[in-house]
Amino acid sequence: MIRRLRNAVMILGCLMLAAGWAEADPRTLAPAAQVQPRQRDAVVQPDRIRQTVARYFEKRFAGKAHDVHITLLDPQEPVAVPPGALELNVLPGALEENVGRRLMRVQILVNGREVGLVETLVEIAAYADVIVAQRLIKPEELIEPEDVAIARIKLHDLKHQFAVEMGDVVGKSAARPIPAHSPVKLSQLKPPYAVRKGDRVIIEAQGGGLSIRTAGITKSGGQVGQYVAVSNVDSGREIKAKVVAPGVVRVDY
C-alpha cells in the first residue's frame, strides 16, 4: 500500500513539472541586477532635423536675411538610429541661395560614424529689413530722409540688391522712377547732380596764371567730374565746362 502511494506521488510530481506547476530551482536564475536588458535603438525626432536645417541656413544667409523660417515637410516620423552620441549635419548642395521648397540631405552620425542620410524636404522663408520708398520718387529727384523708411519684406531671391542702410539712399538721386511702397534697389540710385539744367552757375576759366570768373546758365545737368553745356550770360556763347562743385563749372585754356 505504501509502495503504491509513493509511486502515485512520484507520478503526480512528474505531471506537475511537465505542466509547469513545479517551482523552478532558484539556482538556475541569475539575480535581477545581473540581467542585462536588450539595448533599444534611439530615434531622431523630426523637430531636431528641422532645427539642424534652420541653423544651417541662418549661417548661410547671414548678412543677406535678418530672419529665416524653416517648415519641415518630410520626414514627419521619427528616424530610428543606433544608440550613442548623436550628431546631425546638413550636406551642402546646389542652389544654396534659393528660398522656397528645397530637398536637403541630412547626415546622421552616431559616435562620430555616419549611420545614414535622411532626404529632407523643407520650405524656406527668408526676411530682410530694407529701405522702402514712402512715395513715388521721380528720376533725378534728390532723396530726403522723409522719402524712405525701413520695412521687413519677404525675400524671393537672396541675390537681391536692395538698399539696407539709410545712408545708401539719402542724399542720392533716383536713376529711374521708384514706385511708392517698393523696396529701393541700389541700381535705382546714382550720385546727385551737382548742377541741373537751367541752373545759374559760376564759370571759372583758368590758364596762363590767370583766373576769370563769369556767370553762366547750364543747358544740362551733371555730377562732379562730368562735362556739361553752359551758356555764357555775357556773350551768349555756349561752351563745354567741367563740373567741379555744386554751382561751379570750369573751363581750362
mmCIF file of all heavy atoms in Angstrom, residues 63-64 97 128-131 153 155-165 168-169 176 183-189:
data_model
loop_
_atom_site.group_PDB
_atom_site.id
_atom_site.type_symbol
_atom_site.label_atom_id
_atom_site.label_comp_id
_atom_site.label_asym_id
_atom_site.label_seq_id
_atom_site.Cartn_x
_atom_site.Cartn_y
_atom_site.Cartn_z
ATOM 1 N N GLY A 63 23.867 88.144 -43.192
ATOM 2 C CA GLY A 63 24.190 89.327 -43.964
ATOM 3 C C GLY A 63 23.273 89.558 -45.144
ATOM 4 O O GLY A 63 23.296 90.634 -45.747
ATOM 5 N N LYS A 64 22.465 88.568 -45.485
ATOM 6 C CA LYS A 64 21.527 88.697 -46.600
ATOM 7 C C LYS A 64 20.081 88.674 -46.137
ATOM 8 O O LYS A 64 19.214 89.239 -46.803
ATOM 9 C CB LYS A 64 21.757 87.558 -47.601
ATOM 10 C CG LYS A 64 23.169 87.519 -48.168
ATOM 11 C CD LYS A 64 23.367 86.323 -49.057
ATOM 12 C CE LYS A 64 24.806 86.243 -49.571
ATOM 13 N NZ LYS A 64 25.034 85.055 -50.405
ATOM 14 N N GLU A 97 21.540 79.583 -52.617
ATOM 15 C CA GLU A 97 20.955 80.902 -52.388
ATOM 16 C C GLU A 97 19.445 80.920 -52.592
ATOM 17 O O GLU A 97 18.819 81.964 -52.448
ATOM 18 C CB GLU A 97 21.605 81.928 -53.338
ATOM 19 C CG GLU A 97 23.127 81.993 -53.219
ATOM 20 C CD GLU A 97 23.570 82.370 -51.815
ATOM 21 O OE1 GLU A 97 23.023 83.331 -51.267
ATOM 22 O OE2 GLU A 97 24.457 81.695 -51.275
ATOM 23 N N ALA A 128 14.085 90.200 -44.771
ATOM 24 C CA ALA A 128 15.156 91.186 -44.601
ATOM 25 C C ALA A 128 14.564 92.562 -44.342
ATOM 26 O O ALA A 128 13.458 92.875 -44.811
ATOM 27 C CB ALA A 128 16.058 91.220 -45.826
ATOM 28 N N ASP A 129 15.289 93.372 -43.591
ATOM 29 C CA ASP A 129 14.921 94.769 -43.357
ATOM 30 C C ASP A 129 15.585 95.611 -44.446
ATOM 31 O O ASP A 129 16.825 95.676 -44.517
ATOM 32 C CB ASP A 129 15.378 95.223 -41.976
ATOM 33 C CG ASP A 129 14.680 94.464 -40.857
ATOM 34 O OD1 ASP A 129 13.552 93.996 -41.093
ATOM 35 O OD2 ASP A 129 15.263 94.324 -39.776
ATOM 36 N N VAL A 130 14.783 96.244 -45.276
ATOM 37 C CA VAL A 130 15.308 97.000 -46.414
ATOM 38 C C VAL A 130 14.702 98.400 -46.447
ATOM 39 O O VAL A 130 13.747 98.696 -45.727
ATOM 40 C CB VAL A 130 15.008 96.267 -47.748
ATOM 41 C CG1 VAL A 130 15.593 94.870 -47.741
ATOM 42 C CG2 VAL A 130 13.506 96.214 -48.018
ATOM 43 N N ILE A 131 15.267 99.246 -47.296
ATOM 44 C CA ILE A 131 14.757 100.605 -47.460
ATOM 45 C C ILE A 131 13.596 100.580 -48.455
ATOM 46 O O ILE A 131 13.720 100.021 -49.548
ATOM 47 C CB ILE A 131 15.861 101.547 -47.960
ATOM 48 C CG1 ILE A 131 17.091 101.458 -47.041
ATOM 49 C CG2 ILE A 131 15.333 102.974 -48.030
ATOM 50 C CD1 ILE A 131 16.823 101.796 -45.608
ATOM 51 N N ILE A 153 10.599 92.743 -45.367
ATOM 52 C CA ILE A 153 9.910 92.131 -46.503
ATOM 53 C C ILE A 153 10.347 90.679 -46.643
ATOM 54 O O ILE A 153 11.412 90.279 -46.168
ATOM 55 C CB ILE A 153 10.197 92.887 -47.820
ATOM 56 C CG1 ILE A 153 11.675 92.771 -48.188
ATOM 57 C CG2 ILE A 153 9.764 94.338 -47.722
ATOM 58 C CD1 ILE A 153 11.994 93.224 -49.596
ATOM 59 N N LEU A 155 11.753 87.779 -48.850
ATOM 60 C CA LEU A 155 12.650 87.731 -50.000
ATOM 61 C C LEU A 155 12.280 86.579 -50.917
ATOM 62 O O LEU A 155 11.987 85.471 -50.458
ATOM 63 C CB LEU A 155 14.103 87.570 -49.542
ATOM 64 C CG LEU A 155 14.665 88.678 -48.649
ATOM 65 C CD1 LEU A 155 16.060 88.312 -48.172
ATOM 66 C CD2 LEU A 155 14.674 90.007 -49.387
ATOM 67 N N HIS A 156 12.301 86.842 -52.208
ATOM 68 C CA HIS A 156 12.087 85.789 -53.202
ATOM 69 C C HIS A 156 13.400 85.316 -53.802
ATOM 70 O O HIS A 156 13.447 84.276 -54.464
ATOM 71 C CB HIS A 156 11.160 86.301 -54.303
ATOM 72 C CG HIS A 156 9.814 86.722 -53.796
ATOM 73 N ND1 HIS A 156 8.864 85.813 -53.369
ATOM 74 C CD2 HIS A 156 9.263 87.949 -53.609
ATOM 75 C CE1 HIS A 156 7.787 86.463 -52.962
ATOM 76 N NE2 HIS A 156 7.997 87.758 -53.096
ATOM 77 N N ASP A 157 14.461 86.072 -53.553
ATOM 78 C CA ASP A 157 15.775 85.724 -54.083
ATOM 79 C C ASP A 157 16.820 86.401 -53.210
ATOM 80 O O ASP A 157 16.747 87.606 -52.961
ATOM 81 C CB ASP A 157 15.900 86.204 -55.541
ATOM 82 C CG ASP A 157 17.190 85.755 -56.189
ATOM 83 O OD1 ASP A 157 18.050 85.196 -55.479
ATOM 84 O OD2 ASP A 157 17.335 85.952 -57.397
ATOM 85 N N LEU A 158 17.789 85.631 -52.729
ATOM 86 C CA LEU A 158 18.805 86.207 -51.863
ATOM 87 C C LEU A 158 19.854 86.993 -52.634
ATOM 88 O O LEU A 158 20.706 87.642 -52.033
ATOM 89 C CB LEU A 158 19.492 85.097 -51.055
ATOM 90 C CG LEU A 158 18.640 84.478 -49.953
ATOM 91 C CD1 LEU A 158 19.431 83.418 -49.227
ATOM 92 C CD2 LEU A 158 18.159 85.524 -48.973
ATOM 93 N N LYS A 159 19.796 86.950 -53.944
ATOM 94 C CA LYS A 159 20.745 87.708 -54.751
ATOM 95 C C LYS A 159 20.231 89.122 -55.022
ATOM 96 O O LYS A 159 20.617 89.754 -56.000
ATOM 97 C CB LYS A 159 21.012 86.980 -56.070
ATOM 98 C CG LYS A 159 21.687 85.627 -55.885
ATOM 99 C CD LYS A 159 21.912 84.932 -57.216
ATOM 100 C CE LYS A 159 22.567 83.576 -57.018
ATOM 101 N NZ LYS A 159 22.771 82.869 -58.294
ATOM 102 N N HIS A 160 19.360 89.583 -54.154
ATOM 103 C CA HIS A 160 18.779 90.917 -54.328
ATOM 104 C C HIS A 160 19.855 91.987 -54.138
ATOM 105 O O HIS A 160 20.915 91.745 -53.549
ATOM 106 C CB HIS A 160 17.655 91.128 -53.319
ATOM 107 C CG HIS A 160 18.141 91.258 -51.902
ATOM 108 N ND1 HIS A 160 18.631 92.434 -51.391
ATOM 109 C CD2 HIS A 160 18.227 90.354 -50.892
ATOM 110 C CE1 HIS A 160 18.987 92.263 -50.135
ATOM 111 N NE2 HIS A 160 18.759 91.008 -49.800
ATOM 112 N N GLN A 161 19.555 93.177 -54.626
ATOM 113 C CA GLN A 161 20.437 94.335 -54.459
ATOM 114 C C GLN A 161 19.681 95.473 -53.779
ATOM 115 O O GLN A 161 19.836 96.643 -54.126
ATOM 116 C CB GLN A 161 20.976 94.782 -55.825
ATOM 117 C CG GLN A 161 21.909 93.792 -56.486
ATOM 118 C CD GLN A 161 23.190 93.604 -55.685
ATOM 119 O OE1 GLN A 161 23.766 94.559 -55.191
ATOM 120 N NE2 GLN A 161 23.632 92.368 -55.552
ATOM 121 N N PHE A 162 18.851 95.118 -52.790
ATOM 122 C CA PHE A 162 18.098 96.134 -52.078
ATOM 123 C C PHE A 162 19.016 96.939 -51.160
ATOM 124 O O PHE A 162 19.964 96.401 -50.575
ATOM 125 C CB PHE A 162 16.975 95.509 -51.247
ATOM 126 C CG PHE A 162 15.937 94.795 -52.046
ATOM 127 C CD1 PHE A 162 15.511 93.515 -51.701
ATOM 128 C CD2 PHE A 162 15.361 95.389 -53.161
ATOM 129 C CE1 PHE A 162 14.544 92.856 -52.441
ATOM 130 C CE2 PHE A 162 14.393 94.745 -53.901
ATOM 131 C CZ PHE A 162 13.992 93.471 -53.549
ATOM 132 N N ALA A 163 18.724 98.214 -51.025
ATOM 133 C CA ALA A 163 19.439 99.047 -50.062
ATOM 134 C C ALA A 163 18.967 98.679 -48.658
ATOM 135 O O ALA A 163 17.773 98.515 -48.425
ATOM 136 C CB ALA A 163 19.182 100.524 -50.348
ATOM 137 N N VAL A 164 19.900 98.535 -47.731
ATOM 138 C CA VAL A 164 19.548 98.128 -46.369
ATOM 139 C C VAL A 164 19.922 99.179 -45.331
ATOM 140 O O VAL A 164 19.545 99.057 -44.170
ATOM 141 C CB VAL A 164 20.218 96.781 -46.017
ATOM 142 C CG1 VAL A 164 19.693 95.679 -46.924
ATOM 143 C CG2 VAL A 164 21.732 96.869 -46.130
ATOM 144 N N GLU A 165 20.653 100.207 -45.734
ATOM 145 C CA GLU A 165 21.033 101.282 -44.825
ATOM 146 C C GLU A 165 20.498 102.605 -45.359
ATOM 147 O O GLU A 165 20.514 102.856 -46.569
ATOM 148 C CB GLU A 165 22.560 101.363 -44.699
ATOM 149 C CG GLU A 165 23.221 100.092 -44.177
ATOM 150 C CD GLU A 165 22.962 99.864 -42.705
ATOM 151 O OE1 GLU A 165 22.521 100.831 -42.026
ATOM 152 O OE2 GLU A 165 23.185 98.743 -42.226
ATOM 153 N N ASP A 168 22.670 104.529 -47.605
ATOM 154 C CA ASP A 168 22.802 104.092 -49.004
ATOM 155 C C ASP A 168 21.899 104.892 -49.929
ATOM 156 O O ASP A 168 22.103 104.898 -51.147
ATOM 157 C CB ASP A 168 22.445 102.602 -49.137
ATOM 158 C CG ASP A 168 23.406 101.703 -48.376
ATOM 159 O OD1 ASP A 168 24.553 102.129 -48.151
ATOM 160 O OD2 ASP A 168 23.005 100.580 -48.013
ATOM 161 N N VAL A 169 20.881 105.539 -49.357
ATOM 162 C CA VAL A 169 19.815 106.136 -50.162
ATOM 163 C C VAL A 169 19.726 107.650 -50.005
ATOM 164 O O VAL A 169 19.655 108.389 -50.996
ATOM 165 C CB VAL A 169 18.455 105.489 -49.802
ATOM 166 C CG1 VAL A 169 17.327 106.128 -50.592
ATOM 167 C CG2 VAL A 169 18.499 103.983 -50.042
ATOM 168 N N ARG A 176 15.956 106.141 -62.029
ATOM 169 C CA ARG A 176 14.701 105.879 -62.734
ATOM 170 C C ARG A 176 13.587 105.898 -61.699
ATOM 171 O O ARG A 176 13.859 105.914 -60.497
ATOM 172 C CB ARG A 176 14.759 104.544 -63.487
ATOM 173 C CG ARG A 176 15.090 103.341 -62.640
ATOM 174 C CD ARG A 176 15.121 102.092 -63.522
ATOM 175 N NE ARG A 176 15.393 100.882 -62.776
ATOM 176 C CZ ARG A 176 16.609 100.406 -62.552
ATOM 177 N NH1 ARG A 176 17.659 101.062 -62.993
ATOM 178 N NH2 ARG A 176 16.776 99.288 -61.879
ATOM 179 N N PRO A 183 10.598 98.282 -52.383
ATOM 180 C CA PRO A 183 11.992 98.306 -51.921
ATOM 181 C C PRO A 183 12.876 99.062 -52.912
ATOM 182 O O PRO A 183 12.679 98.982 -54.124
ATOM 183 C CB PRO A 183 12.368 96.823 -51.862
ATOM 184 C CG PRO A 183 11.078 96.088 -51.807
ATOM 185 C CD PRO A 183 10.104 96.909 -52.593
ATOM 186 N N VAL A 184 13.838 99.774 -52.373
ATOM 187 C CA VAL A 184 14.751 100.550 -53.206
ATOM 188 C C VAL A 184 15.974 99.695 -53.534
ATOM 189 O O VAL A 184 16.653 99.185 -52.633
ATOM 190 C CB VAL A 184 15.194 101.843 -52.493
ATOM 191 C CG1 VAL A 184 16.180 102.621 -53.368
ATOM 192 C CG2 VAL A 184 13.983 102.695 -52.150
ATOM 193 N N LYS A 185 16.232 99.519 -54.828
ATOM 194 C CA LYS A 185 17.413 98.775 -55.267
ATOM 195 C C LYS A 185 18.575 99.737 -55.477
ATOM 196 O O LYS A 185 18.393 100.892 -55.875
ATOM 197 C CB LYS A 185 17.111 98.036 -56.568
ATOM 198 C CG LYS A 185 16.075 96.937 -56.421
ATOM 199 C CD LYS A 185 15.870 96.206 -57.747
ATOM 200 C CE LYS A 185 14.857 95.087 -57.598
ATOM 201 N NZ LYS A 185 14.651 94.365 -58.875
ATOM 202 N N LEU A 186 19.776 99.240 -55.224
ATOM 203 C CA LEU A 186 20.963 100.072 -55.409
ATOM 204 C C LEU A 186 21.104 100.517 -56.858
ATOM 205 O O LEU A 186 21.628 101.601 -57.125
ATOM 206 C CB LEU A 186 22.209 99.307 -54.953
ATOM 207 C CG LEU A 186 22.262 98.946 -53.462
ATOM 208 C CD1 LEU A 186 23.490 98.099 -53.165
ATOM 209 C CD2 LEU A 186 22.261 100.208 -52.602
ATOM 210 N N SER A 187 20.632 99.679 -57.772
ATOM 211 C CA SER A 187 20.728 100.021 -59.196
ATOM 212 C C SER A 187 19.802 101.174 -59.577
ATOM 213 O O SER A 187 19.927 101.736 -60.668
ATOM 214 C CB SER A 187 20.410 98.797 -60.053
ATOM 215 O OG SER A 187 19.100 98.323 -59.792
ATOM 216 N N GLN A 188 18.857 101.531 -58.692
ATOM 217 C CA GLN A 188 17.943 102.636 -58.963
ATOM 218 C C GLN A 188 18.496 103.970 -58.492
ATOM 219 O O GLN A 188 17.846 105.003 -58.636
ATOM 220 C CB GLN A 188 16.592 102.380 -58.277
ATOM 221 C CG GLN A 188 15.836 101.175 -58.808
ATOM 222 C CD GLN A 188 14.605 100.865 -57.992
ATOM 223 O OE1 GLN A 188 14.661 100.760 -56.759
ATOM 224 N NE2 GLN A 188 13.468 100.737 -58.665
ATOM 225 N N LEU A 189 19.702 103.955 -57.931
ATOM 226 C CA LEU A 189 20.277 105.162 -57.340
ATOM 227 C C LEU A 189 21.514 105.611 -58.106
ATOM 228 O O LEU A 189 22.178 104.821 -58.780
ATOM 229 C CB LEU A 189 20.646 104.898 -55.879
ATOM 230 C CG LEU A 189 19.541 104.361 -54.977
ATOM 231 C CD1 LEU A 189 20.110 103.976 -53.630
ATOM 232 C CD2 LEU A 189 18.423 105.387 -54.830
#
